[in-house]
Amino acid sequence: MRAKRCVRVITRLVLLVTLTAAVLLAPPPPLFAAAPPTADARVPTGDPTEPTADVAAPDRDATGPAADGTVPAVGRAWPVGLRPRVLRGWEPPATVYGPGHRGVDLAAAPGTPVRAVAAGRVAFAGRVAGKGVVTVELTGTGDPPLRTTYEPVTASVEEGEMVTPGEVIGTVDASGSHCAATCVHWGLRRADTYLDPLSLLPPWLLHRGPSRLLPVFP
């Protein structure tokens, strides 16, 4: 009897020591649970144009329109120059036939090369009301596609011709501009809806600063 009692006591002591060690050695529970990631959270990639976690960007693919109907930033070049001066910005009219400015005026001297901002097909190249106009239907921008217009321009391309971003499509006319100084009127439409052409340009191109010359060492 005494032997059985000793065995039970020893067994209880072993269990007690084991439980005490497990409690003491276990890591403490976290005070606050981590919140699950939200749908808008994004991991920065180092690209200056990549949105950070607290900025939700529109869901767009490489060439197609954004899911919310905004203009995709498919532009890869300014129509004239490297960073032309905007003489007058886009001012959408309150009504279809109301006053406004259905495009952007870019400062450009006569004879300046005019370039396609994105890849597409020349939908029109000719004169309208005495002004030279070039219209390019942009590839992969939905149905109906986006169309960019440039005027006054002497076209160097023909209707139906495919153009690439930055390709010269004409030169600035010396006359026909509605600006005080010579300029190019750059427009953007989807069907009958006028849009801001500057929205075609990605941030790295839209806000790019002037080029700087670096010193050359022997």
Side-chain angles (χ1 to χ4, degrees):
M1 293 292 293
R2 189 175 296 177
K4 290 182 179 180
R5 195 174 294 172
C6 289
V7 170
R8 286 199 295 268
V9 170
I10 293 173
T11 302
R12 290 176 181 174
L13 287 174
V14 171
L15 291 174
L16 180 62
V17 170
T18 302
L19 291 174
T20 303
V23 171
L24 293 176
L25 296 177
L31 295 178
F32 302 99
T38 61
D40 289 336
R42 290 173 172 81
V43 179
T45 62
D47 185 346
T49 65
E50 180 72 15
T52 57
D54 58 347
V55 178
D59 183 15
R60 63 178 63 174
D61 56 34
T63 58
D68 60 359
T70 56
V71 175
V74 295
R76 294 296 176 265
W78 282 89
V80 289
L82 296 177
R83 181 64 171 88
R85 186 161 54 98
V86 177
L87 301 178
R88 185 178 178 185
W90 182 61
E91 301 168 10
T95 62
V96 176
Y97 301 104
H101 192 233
R102 296 166 174 81
V104 172
D105 292 338
L106 304 175
T112 300
V114 179
R115 304 178 184 276
V117 299
R121 182 185 65 86
V122 178
F124 179 81
R127 305 193 73 80
V128 177
K131 294 181 181 181
V133 178
V134 176
T135 301
V136 178
E137 187 177 276
L138 303 185
T139 303
T141 55
D143 185 20
L146 293 171
R147 289 189 171 197
T148 54
T149 58
Y150 313 84
E151 60 177 275
V153 173
T154 298
S156 59
V157 292
E158 297 180 354
E159 186 174 332
E161 187 175 339
M162 300 301 295
V163 295
T164 57
E167 182 176 342
V168 175
I169 58 175
T171 55
V172 179
D173 284 344
S175 61
S177 172
H178 59 236
C179 303
T182 308
C183 72
V184 169
H185 180 81
W186 176 29
L188 176 67
R189 290 198 317 176
R190 188 188 295 280
D192 294 329
T193 302
Y194 288 87
L195 302 166
D196 184 3
L198 291 179
S199 58
L200 285 171
L201 302 181
W204 64 267
L205 186 57
L206 187 62
H207 303 298
R208 182 174 59 187
S211 301
R212 292 182 297 176
L213 297 177
L214 298 178
V216 178
F217 299 97

